[in-house]
Amino acid sequence: MTSSNPVGTPSGYQRKQRRKTALWTERSSWDSHWRDIAKYLTPRSGRFQTSDVNRGEKKHGAVIDSTGARALRTLAAGMMSGMTSPARPWFRLALQDRDLMESAPVKQWLFETGALMRAVFGASNTYQALHQCYTELGAFGTWADFVQPDFDNVIHHYPMTVGEYALAANDKGVVDTLAREFKMTVGQMVRQFGREACSTAVRNLHDRGILDAWVDVVHMVEPRASYDRTKRDNLNMPFASCYFEPAQANWDRYLSESGYKRFPALCPRWEITGNDVYGGSPAMECLGDVKALQHAQTRKAQAIDLQVDPPLQVPTAYKGQAMKRMPGGVMYVDATTPNGGIRSAYEVNLRLDFLLADIQDQRDRIRGSFYADLFMMLASQPANGAMTATEVAERHEEKLLMLGPVLERLHNELLSPFIDITFERLATAGVLPPPPPELEGVDLEIEFISTLAQAQRAVAAAGSDRLLGTISTLAGLWPEVRHKVNPMQVVDSYAEMFGVDPKMIVSDDAAQAAAAAEAQAAQAAQQGAAMAQAVDSAKTASEVSPDGLRDVMGMFQGYNSPTPIEAA
């Protein structure tokens, strides 16, 4: 579709080309830093040229000591298991109105919908993409990922690596523009966009049967400057999505133009400084240590070589007998002078213990920068496994203190938008369970219940434990203090803090009705026992002889008391 423009006015295609160039220019100051990080920590990451794709050359030449790469791997695995573990629920849907959440149908719908979303994540490539996300964030501080609708699995991720995309943010610092440059084959382009949408060069290649030739393609998503809000077609949505060929002169046509209701990409940052669009990372913090470690390992190997196989000063008579100097070789020469024998060219006195201690210090700093010491804390517990629940909670809280700001940013920039996108996809597909009438017009909230997120709640749980323990102690002195505790609310609070399946917890009304029935049954049993005792007493009384009863009564009343003479 070619647009008509006044003379001198750039077309939409030309504006996209110019903005793509501007975004790449603005990003260029980060490229050298990212390249350096990739070189020493994750050589297979980063695509700074479109020709970098699917290249198998050895790229690990600069990595002599892999401590940094392994620490980054530990960070990614720790974030994965701590924030978005596939093995346990890590989020739940909730309402701001807590009283409404007490409704059993509402609670059940929220739980079933969350379970359905987690099933979608498991069936799609979500968890593979998230693991790459944590690796890229730890290394480069920024990640980007398109989340697209998928017929089979509802959603599908198209994760990117640093260098192949550029970002821009709005006035609030929220990323709302993403441009990606990548390669497609001629055959892929014709199948996806149609032959007529492709440039003349691509059509010629296709007609000649050259389907595997690679062609540069740009996909850009950005806010639309203006659109008709009364229309619902994809050309009048808040975000424009355009594919085009960046290298074609005398061409003014998109490969594809569409749109989205909401920004379809996830672009989290590890940490942000001021108005920066791209984020800082742990790797940036320890890159100097990583380089110093490679240098120290190189020098250590050289020093060991100089000690084991040093350069020698030899008399000229040894010339041509170098092979005889190898282990097992024998050389016969006459030493004509006191110093004429074989000796080292110079002495190397390496204190290997000092060098190893310095290397270990560098390794510890690198692991600390990647929080590897925190994530490995539980794995390195004592061999006897003697660790109390309180100790475990305290160790999680320590992680939280170190990672708290990062967790909040990732909740806001990564997980919350992703859950919103998935919910909308499910709603559009019509596969959500029917909501109860109480939820009509009510906004949903997202609560994170992962291991790291619940560490925040562990503080509240510890306070509740101490309070209940104190009340239990005080009740021994003042029993009336037990009435200060609402037992039903205690159970609800603990269930909420620990993310318990709501099916396990009945509503307050049902619990109170059960308690009332139990009390009524206990009262009836008590009354029945009293009546049985009364019947038994009456039966016993009916079996007593009147004369014997009269004698007993007389003894208490003194009428039949023996006289002193009778007693004598």
Side-chain angles (χ1 to χ4, degrees):
M1 177 176 60
T2 304
S3 58
S4 59
N5 297 281
V7 176
T9 302
S11 66
Y13 174 84
Q14 293 168 338
R15 286 194 296 269
K16 290 286 189 299
Q17 289 273 34
R18 293 179 183 179
R19 186 163 198 210
K20 182 264 177 183
T21 302
L23 290 174
W24 254 249
T25 301
E26 183 179 5
R27 194 206 68 189
S28 61
S29 62
W30 294 83
D31 287 352
S32 60
H33 200 176
W34 289 337
R35 288 175 185 269
D36 225 12
I37 292 170
K39 178 180 179 181
Y40 289 98
L41 290 171
T42 172
R44 286 292 170 191
S45 297
R47 298 287 185 270
F48 299 96
Q49 303 290 335
T50 55
S51 58
D52 288 342
V53 66
N54 201 31
R55 302 301 294 256
E57 296 94 342
K58 181 180 177 181
K59 297 184 177 183
H60 294 73
V63 181
I64 300 172
D65 189 304
S66 62
T67 297
R70 286 185 282 114
L72 175 59
R73 188 171 60 212
T74 300
L75 170 67
M79 295 293 288
M80 186 74 184
S81 62
M83 288 193 69
T84 53
S85 171
R88 67 181 304 275
W90 49 270
F91 79 96
R92 66 181 176 192
L93 301 179
L95 305 176
Q96 188 173 8
D97 187 347
R98 295 299 173 181
D99 293 334
L100 182 56
M101 279 190 65
E102 293 297 323
S103 168
V106 170
K107 189 179 295 186
Q108 187 61 31
W109 183 87
L110 294 174
F111 179 78
E112 290 178 357
T113 302
L116 175 61
M117 296 174 71
R118 287 190 292 271
V120 169
F121 300 159
S124 67
N125 64 333
T126 292
Y127 291 111
Q128 296 93 319
L130 287 176
H131 184 264
Q132 179 183 339
C133 164
Y134 299 130
T135 302
E136 293 268 327
L137 286 174
F140 308 110
T142 308
W143 184 61
D145 169 41
F146 274 117
V147 184
Q148 300 284 53
D150 184 79
F151 179 80
D152 295 322
N153 299 317
V154 182
I155 57 172
H156 188 82
H157 295 260
Y158 294 86
M160 289 160 267
T161 187
V162 70
E164 66 176 319
Y165 62 85
L167 307 175
N170 61 19
D171 58 313
K172 296 181 179 179
V174 178
V175 175
D176 64 355
T177 298
L178 185 146
R180 176 195 181 198
E181 186 170 17
F182 60 104
K183 280 187 176 292
M184 297 180 69
T185 66
V186 170
Q188 291 171 344
M189 292 179 65
V190 171
R191 282 193 298 271
Q192 180 169 344
F193 306 114
R195 180 182 179 281
E196 296 306 315
C198 298
S199 64
T200 302
V202 172
R203 290 203 301 263
N204 290 337
L205 290 171
H206 181 265
D207 293 343
R208 288 156 51 195
I210 307 176
L211 305 182
D212 294 318
W214 290 100
V215 180
D216 289 347
V217 175
V218 173
H219 181 201
M220 181 179 293
V221 178
E222 62 180 344
R224 272 198 170 94
S226 61
Y227 60 96
D228 190 343
R229 298 176 184 270
T230 63
K231 296 181 179 179
R232 298 183 178 273
D233 61 289
N234 55 20
L235 297 181
N236 287 283
M237 291 182 177
F239 289 89
S241 171
C242 300
Y243 288 86
F244 57 90
E245 299 177 50
Q248 295 299 322
N250 302 319
W251 189 253
D252 194 11
R253 181 181 299 176
Y254 295 127
L255 290 168
S256 171
E257 183 178 10
S258 184
Y260 296 97
K261 294 180 181 178
R262 62 179 300 133
F263 190 54
L266 305 174
C267 302
R269 285 79 56 87
W270 185 270
E271 62 183 5
I272 290 296
T273 301
N275 294 326
D276 287 351
V277 176
Y278 302 97
S281 71
M284 295 178 182
E285 174 186 314
C286 69
L287 183 58
D289 288 320
V290 172
K291 290 183 175 181
L293 180 59
Q294 314 307 314
H295 178 75
Q297 291 284 26
T298 302
R299 290 290 180 260
K300 182 188 75 173
Q302 290 174 343
I304 292 174
D305 281 345
L306 288 172
Q307 283 190 328
V308 174
D309 190 14
L312 302 175
Q313 297 182 102
V314 298
T316 56
Y318 286 79
K319 187 175 182 181
Q321 301 187 49
M323 294 303 296
K324 297 180 180 180
R325 198 175 58 83
M326 301 301 291
V330 179
M331 293 183 294
Y332 299 95
V333 296
D334 294 324
T336 57
T337 63
N339 297 324
I342 299 174
R343 58 179 178 170
S344 298
Y346 49 86
E347 297 296 328
V348 178
N349 184 23
L350 172 65
R351 286 295 305 271
L352 194 59
D353 54 343
F354 290 165
L355 181 56
L356 291 177
D358 183 60
I359 287 175
Q360 185 60 43
D361 182 54
Q362 292 172 341
R363 287 172 169 172
D364 289 341
R365 292 200 301 269
I366 293 170
R367 294 189 185 105
S369 295
F370 286 110
Y371 306 94
D373 50 343
L374 298 179
F375 285 116
M376 296 299 293
M377 195 175 293
L378 293 178
S380 60
Q381 63 176 310
N384 59 9
M387 184 184 298
T388 66
T390 302
E391 289 173 328
V392 173
E394 288 175 352
R395 293 188 178 200
H396 281 306
E397 289 171 22
E398 185 176 357
K399 288 184 186 179
L400 182 66
L401 292 176
M402 301 296 292
L403 291 172
V406 176
L407 297 182
E408 291 300 322
R409 176 172 291 280
L410 295 185
H411 286 165
N412 293 332
E413 294 189 353
L414 172 65
L415 300 181
S416 290
F418 171 51
I419 292 171
D420 288 341
I421 290 173
T422 305
F423 185 88
E424 289 185 2
R425 299 279 192 266
L426 289 170
T428 302
V431 295
L432 288 175
E438 299 96 315
L439 288 179
E440 184 175 357
V442 177
D443 292 332
L444 299 179
E445 292 185 346
I446 302 169
E447 291 185 357
F448 294 99
I449 54 174
S450 64
T451 302
L452 291 175
Q454 286 199 55
Q456 295 176 319
R457 297 183 175 89
V459 178
S464 299
D465 291 341
R466 288 192 293 269
L467 173 63
L468 294 177
T470 301
I471 291 175
S472 177
T473 301
L474 294 176
L477 298 174
W478 302 290
E480 61 273 14
V481 300
R482 70 184 190 279
H483 298 300
K484 288 289 291 182
V485 178
N486 182 348
M488 303 299 179
Q489 186 58 45
V490 169
V491 175
D492 286 341
S493 297
Y494 272 96
E496 181 177 349
M497 284 187 286
F498 298 133
V500 174
D501 184 345
K503 292 180 180 178
M504 298 175 59
I505 310 299
V506 301
S507 66
D508 286 350
D509 293 340
Q512 290 169 357
E518 188 177 274
Q520 185 177 2
Q523 183 179 5
Q526 184 178 6
Q527 292 174 350
M531 291 179 64
Q533 184 177 3
V535 170
D536 289 343
S537 300
K539 180 180 180 182
T540 303
S542 68
E543 294 175 349
V544 175
S545 170
D547 293 338
L549 181 60
R550 191 163 40 249
D551 291 342
V552 173
M553 294 179 65
M555 289 177 63
F556 283 102
Q557 295 172 358
Y559 296 135
N560 287 335
S561 300
T563 63
I565 297 175
E566 291 174 335

